[in-house]
Amino acid sequence: MRFSKSLIILVLSASLAACGDSDNDEVEVTDPVMPVMSYEFTVQVTNLTNAQPLSPIAAIAHSEGMLWQIGEPASAALELMAEGGDNSELLATDFAMASSSAESPLPPGEQVTLMLSTEQLDSLKISLATMLVNTNDAFTGLNAIDVSSLAVNESLSRTSFAYDAGTEANSEAQGTIPGPADSGEGYNEMRDDINRVAMHPGVVSQDDGLTNSVLTSQHKFDNPVARITITRTQ
Amino acid sequence: MKALPLTLFAACAVTSLASQAAELDIKLTNLTQGLHFTPILITAHNSDSKLFSVAMPASTALQTMAEGGNLEPLMTEATAANSDMVANPAEGLLAPASSTMASLSTKDGNNYLSLTAMLLPTNDGFVGLDSWMIPAEAGTYTIYLNAYDAGTEANDELVVEGSGMPGTPGIPAAPGGNAGMNGSGVTSSETNMMVHIHPGNLGDDDLEAGMSDLDNTVHRWLNPVAMLTVTVK
């Protein structure tokens, strides 16, 4: 709509210019143009874990919907991300007004900044999700954080918990973990766990009593696992 | 139009009766993947009538709840203290990743909210909220709750039927049906006899033997173990 309106204005001003009435040009052109309001946010994520790289972080801007709910089965998009780190379907979530992905996994102790730009501020929420890759199906993130009242240059910070997608049993077995600890299988459409999203119980590891685990004490984690700062920049 | 007088009434109630009687809607979510909560007790009480105190020995009533899920002694004490309470809102166990709702009307002076429920399978673990001050301002508040250890029973991690009585060693039940047997016992002593943050279940990977009857991939947890949403009306 806005595009076609400005086209009309361009045509109008062009025809006015053609009349040679150059004195009035500026007024005629600038007055009716509706500026497109743009709201911009940065999402900075810090990986707080010892040895759990975070898969490329997916962030979305939206006004409704949730990426997951405790007690409900994981969506297919969440399962794909939580088991294998593939965030493509999460980024394409139907209720997302804007989306952004980190280019690469986020190593422990490092941080990354993503940007989101929207044309709506009313009821605006930001969500993000990422896999702890040296696990079967652990993920972390934030769900529908309201940013509609943030002023320009104002920030909010949160820490995030480790969740379990509930779609793959936490066997920690060789061949089942996609991260560098195993380089095993990521996504598998079979659901052999409780099929509800819950908090993650943590990894056990071969050093703490799970003989068949490919993980070591290095891969253990505790809450919180990430720190997130959302800043409105425009 | 209908909602307007109600809203006005709520606003007046908040300003004129601040920190006195309140109407609460409460939602408790079990965040864990593998633990059940036994019947839940929620009380609104004065500053003295707490359900538990960290770094203090558990009362016999708390011990009875934490070792076997029996709320009766805690309820008797709460009634005697003129506390307001909701007992067993989930009507039994609250399963992993499940929620229950309750409403509570509090009397003047009962300005603190507390909550307990035993965690199964544990020896004497419980989810707890100790004396959260009920806000005077209407709104919805979210509180994350941790797992505590009553400090009254050694965490041997052996599932023993009928072990829910105070002083009887063992875990009375594993409601998920996913525990093992024939464990030798993780420990036979409790070194910290005060109420403390639970060190967590250990478990093992041998359901037929080993030290623990618990499964180390199922029965462990990380805090928080519950989310409490309180709407002050």
Side-chain angles (χ1 to χ4, degrees):
Chain A
M1 285 297 287
R2 276 193 200 95
F3 186 56
S4 53
K5 195 172 176 184
S6 43
L7 264 184
I8 293 165
I9 292 160
L10 278 174
V11 172
L12 266 177
S13 60
S15 58
L16 284 170
C19 294
D21 194 3
S22 57
D23 286 347
N24 290 334
D25 264 8
E26 274 182 60
V27 177
E28 294 292 334
V29 175
T30 54
D31 225 9
V33 171
M34 295 282 289
V36 177
M37 287 297 290
S38 177
Y39 306 94
E40 291 185 7
F41 297 84
T42 59
V43 180
Q44 185 185 64
V45 182
T46 306
N47 182 341
L48 302 177
T49 69
N50 183 58
Q52 288 287 346
L54 299 176
S55 67
I57 290 149
I60 66 163
H62 56 113
S63 60
E64 56 185 30
M66 304 267 268
L67 291 183
W68 70 88
Q69 280 184 284
I70 298 287
E72 297 294 321
S75 67
L78 185 75
E79 179 185 11
L80 181 67
M81 191 281 299
E83 292 185 11
D86 178 353
N87 65 18
S88 56
E89 285 193 22
L90 276 184
L91 292 167
T93 298
D94 55 5
F95 54 76
M97 301 189 301
S99 63
S100 178
S101 174
E103 289 177 359
S104 54
L106 181 64
E110 297 195 15
Q111 59 188 35
V112 66
T113 301
L114 280 65
M115 290 172 72
L116 284 169
S117 179
T118 70
E119 294 178 7
Q120 177 185 327
L121 189 61
D122 187 39
S123 303
L124 187 65
K125 296 166 182 65
I126 287 179
S127 293
L128 58 132
T130 174
M131 180 191 184
L132 281 65
V133 301
N134 287 324
T135 67
N136 290 94
D137 62 342
F139 70 98
T140 190
L142 293 177
N143 219 346
I145 301 298
D146 191 300
V147 295
S148 62
S149 57
L150 276 185
V152 174
N153 293 327
E154 197 178 356
S155 297
L156 59 84
S157 284
R158 297 280 187 278
T159 52
S160 66
F161 300 140
Y163 298 95
D164 191 310
T167 56
E168 181 178 326
N170 295 330
S171 68
E172 303 176 22
Q174 187 167 29
T176 68
I177 290 175
D182 182 36
S183 299
E185 181 185 60
Y187 171 70
N188 182 316
E189 67 177 14
M190 187 180 68
R191 297 194 175 197
D192 62 353
D193 200 358
I194 66 169
N195 202 22
R196 290 169 167 212
V197 178
M199 293 272 295
H200 200 284
V203 295
V204 181
S205 86
Q206 57 188 253
D207 296 325
D208 200 16
L210 187 58
T211 313
N212 292 328
S213 174
V214 294
L215 304 179
T216 72
S217 62
Q218 294 297 311
H219 303 112
K220 292 175 79 79
F221 55 85
D222 201 350
N223 291 315
V225 294
R227 180 174 182 81
I228 296 106
T229 302
I230 300 173
T231 306
R232 183 178 161 196
T233 55
Q234 182 180 315
Chain B
M1 281 304 285
K2 255 185 174 177
L4 188 59
L6 276 176
T7 313
L8 284 173
F9 174 76
C12 294
V14 165
T15 46
S16 61
L17 300 175
S19 81
Q20 297 185 31
E23 296 291 326
L24 309 178
D25 282 343
I26 298 168
K27 180 182 179 186
L28 181 72
T29 302
N30 176 348
L31 295 174
T32 72
Q33 216 201 10
L35 302 177
H36 285 73
F37 295 179
T38 64
I40 297 148
L41 180 63
I42 306 171
T43 64
H45 54 87
N46 61 38
S47 56
D48 295 328
S49 306
K50 298 146 68 84
L51 292 179
F52 69 98
S53 300
V54 291
M56 295 287 285
S59 66
T60 303
L62 184 76
Q63 177 183 9
T64 304
M65 182 282 301
E67 294 188 18
N70 179 2
L71 292 180
E72 294 292 337
L74 281 178
M75 289 170 64
T76 302
E77 290 187 0
T79 302
N82 207 22
S83 301
D84 308 296
M85 75 176 101
V86 179
N88 196 13
E91 299 181 336
L93 298 173
L94 185 63
S98 299
S99 299
T100 188
M101 316 271 279
S103 293
L104 182 61
S105 301
T106 69
K107 290 191 279 282
D108 289 3
N110 286 343
N111 299 333
Y112 298 90
L113 199 68
S114 289
L115 179 152
T116 60
M118 183 191 183
L119 300 169
L120 284 175
T122 69
N123 287 88
D124 60 340
F126 67 97
V127 52
L129 172 68
D130 175 27
S131 303
W132 179 73
M133 187 180 272
I134 300 166
E137 190 175 344
T140 298
Y141 302 86
T142 299
I143 313 149
Y144 288 100
L145 310 184
N146 293 323
Y148 294 90
D149 187 311
T152 55
E153 182 174 307
N155 295 331
D156 64 11
E157 300 188 8
L158 301 180
V159 179
V160 180
E161 205 177 313
S163 67
M165 295 294 287
T168 308
I171 297 171
N178 40 21
M181 59 182 79
N182 303 325
S184 60
V186 171
T187 179
S188 57
S189 64
E190 178 76 323
T191 52
N192 185 343
M193 314 271 278
M194 307 293 174
V195 176
H196 53 273
I197 291 286
H198 200 290
N201 282 337
L202 185 64
D204 61 35
D205 61 355
D206 188 345
L207 292 181
E208 309 295 326
M211 283 198 303
S212 172
D213 285 346
L214 305 183
D215 185 328
N216 60 15
T217 66
V218 174
H219 297 126
R220 291 187 178 193
W221 70 84
L222 298 176
N223 283 321
V225 294
M227 181 172 76
L228 187 68
T229 307
V230 180
T231 301
V232 181
K233 293 197 276 191

